[in-house]
Amino acid sequence: MARLLVVEDDETIGGVLHASLLAHGHDVTWERTGRGALRAAAAHDLDLVLLDLGLPDLDGVEVCRRLRTQQPGAVLVVLTARTDEMDVVVGLEAGADDYLTKPLRLDELRARIRAHLRRGGPATPAGAGTVELGSVFIDVAGRRVTVAGTEIALRAKEFDLLARLAADAGSAVSRETLMCDVWDVNWFGSTKTLDMHIAALRRRLGGTGATGLPEIVTLRGHGYRLDPPR
């Protein structure tokens, strides 16, 4: 039985989510405010959080950031009526692993939850071990990345994506393969999520200012390739 936290101030939506997830065998806590969510996260080990961004007391993006810090192993799924691409980027940058826009489709939501939980939260990609590409060192088993000797913080999916590309460094990896290996075969959303995570990953690696970084190459119409530094 998974422990879930629903953060939703709309009584109708929250009530439906709470009842539906309980009926499917989950241990569900429902909070209506950001502060309530943070208290619940401090009190329980969570497997997955469904977080509405439009909360009455705190900015939902800030709540997302704090939840990511409090519960680094939990899957964080943002639920929102905000559909602009930049809102999606901000949500992912704040630590969300998945992003669903309202109105919600319950069957799809439950399927996504099952997919995330099957992977046991943030997943460890196949081929666990270590990979060194120039100044980047990836400890797959320990889920750590260091750049020029300094550890950097990556979100769960960013780490999975980097590790997956590194496992076939120098080779093309198709979009379908990346979506399947990193997000699960039952992914229902747009593959634009992949592009956003790639963009975020480039920013995080480039933001270190280090030299000797591998390059994530876009292969139009196919996917991506991680090239070792020259």
Side-chain angles (χ1 to χ4, degrees), residues 10 44-45 62 77 116 120 148 153 155 187-188 194 197 203 229:
D10 184 293
H44 304 289
D45 288 328
E62 180 58 26
V77 180
H116 283 301
R155 299 199 322 272
W187 173 259
F188 293 92
L194 169 61
H197 278 76
R203 285 197 299 274

Side-chain angles (χ1 to χ4, degrees), residues 133 161-162 165-166 168-175 178 194-195 197-199 201-203 205 213-230:
L133 292 165
L161 187 54
L162 178 62
L165 287 168
D168 284 320
S171 299
V173 185
S174 70
R175 298 177 67 85
L178 290 171
L194 169 61
D195 302 318
H197 278 76
I198 288 286
L201 196 50
R202 285 171 170 151
R203 285 197 299 274
L205 293 176
L213 295 172
E215 180 184 7
I216 303 175
V217 179
T218 301
L219 305 173
R220 294 190 182 280
H222 183 78
Y224 293 93
R225 185 184 68 232
L226 185 66
D227 280 349
R230 297 175 181 174

Side-chain angles (χ1 to χ4, degrees), residues 5 28 58 71-72 148 185 187 216:
L5 172 62
V28 187
L58 293 175
Q71 297 278 341
V185 293
W187 173 259
I216 303 175

Side-chain angles (χ1 to χ4, degrees), residues 33-86:
T33 65
R35 291 188 177 86
L38 297 174
R39 283 194 296 271
H44 304 289
D45 288 328
L46 301 171
D47 295 303
L48 185 143
V49 179
L50 298 175
L51 172 65
D52 176 33
L53 290 185
L55 299 172
D57 58 337
L58 293 175
D59 177 70
V61 174
E62 180 58 26
V63 175
C64 185
R65 290 194 183 96
R66 296 189 197 180
L67 286 173
R68 172 52 66 215
T69 301
Q70 284 183 274
Q71 297 278 341
V75 176
L76 241 171
V77 180
V78 163
L79 311 177
T80 183
R82 305 173 189 175
T83 58
D84 287 349
E85 181 174 333
M86 187 50 62

